[in-house]
Structures are given as structure tokens and as C-alpha cells.
Amino acid sequence: MASCLFCDIAAGEIPATQVHADEDFVAFRDIDPKAPTHVLVIPRRHVTGLDRLGDDDVDLVGRLLVTATRIASAEGLTGGYRFVINCGDDGGQTVHHLHLHILGGRAMKWPPG
Ligand code: 5GP
Ligand code: ZN
């Protein structure tokens, strides 16, 4: 597999401000935050994106969401937050390792750009 930025961050080979780590997931602050709180949650396993998930990944995705809600809570986002998963070019995905954005600390607008 070609090198992957988020695999390298999960392995600790590229520095990031980590806010959570467990056996399956790592979360760290986005380098270019779009909100006062902007955390990325990734599975340690390299999965390119939502469009590459299969039936075997249902548990992984469920736990990704639940893990993210716990991180949002730990970040003190009591007023609410937004989860975003961009997929593919039209979805605005720039890093091809599945990641969930936690955005919070301000009121979000709708629709997104
Ligand atoms: P995407 O556009 O693929 O949904 O999101 C990729 C995110 O990764 C962007 O919000 C971008 O700011 C963030 N990002 C890109 N490179 C790095 C990096 O080296 N470190 C961290 N912490 N975030 C990064
Ligand atoms: Zn990767």
C-alpha cells in the first residue's frame, strides 16, 4: 500500500495532537480547524472511504460513531455538534483514509457549502 498520512499519524510516525486512542480508533485535532473544536476520528485499520465499506464493517462504523459521540462529550460540546464524513471528490474528501470530522463550539450553518 502507498503511504498514508492518517496511517502514519495513527502509528505515531507523524505528530498530531491526539485526544483519544484505543485499540481500534485514534482521534486528533485537525491541523486547519474549521470550528473552535475540530477533531478527526479514524479507524486504525486503513479503509479508503465510505464507498469502500462492506458488510463486515458495520460494527466498525457503529463503534466509530459511538466513539465520536464520547469524544464530543469529553470535548464539552454540550450545545451540540456536527459529524461530517466526506466521500470522494464531489464530497470534498482530500485524505483517503476514512475519517469522521467532529465540529463544534459554534453554531453550524445549513446547507453546507
Ligand atoms: P477531508 O477533506 O478529507 O474530509 O478532511 C481531511 C482533513 O485532514 C482536513 O480537514 C485537513 O485540515 C486535515 N489534515 C490534513 N493534513 C493533516 C495533518 O497533517 N495533520 C492533521 N492533524 N490534520 C490534517
Ligand atoms: Zn491509511
Side-chain angles (χ1 to χ4, degrees):
M1 187 187 80
S3 74
C4 167
L5 173 65
F6 284 179
C7 281
D8 288 349
I9 286 177
E13 286 159 11
I14 290 179
T17 306
Q18 207 167 283
V19 299
H20 175 88
D22 62 38
E23 201 179 324
D24 296 317
F25 302 101
V26 177
F28 51 92
R29 299 203 187 281
D30 197 291
I31 203 167
D32 181 18
K34 312 302 187 297
T37 298
H38 189 172
V39 170
L40 302 173
V41 191
I42 66 169
R44 288 188 184 274
R45 201 183 101 214
H46 181 86
V47 182
T48 311
L50 281 179
D51 53 349
R52 301 302 291 269
L53 294 173
D55 291 346
D56 290 348
D57 298 315
V58 170
D59 179 65
L60 179 87
V61 174
R63 287 185 295 110
L64 171 66
L65 273 179
V66 171
T67 300
T69 63
R70 294 195 177 134
I71 295 167
S73 180
E75 289 286 317
L77 301 178
T78 52
Y81 48 81
R82 180 173 290 173
F83 289 172
V84 172
I85 301 179
N86 296 323
C87 181
D89 290 342
D90 282 359
Q93 185 176 6
T94 60
V95 177
H96 295 279
H97 178 129
L98 179 66
H99 53 282
L100 179 150
H101 298 253
I102 302 173
L103 295 156
R106 66 167 169 83
M108 300 293 148
K109 294 189 171 66
W110 191 262

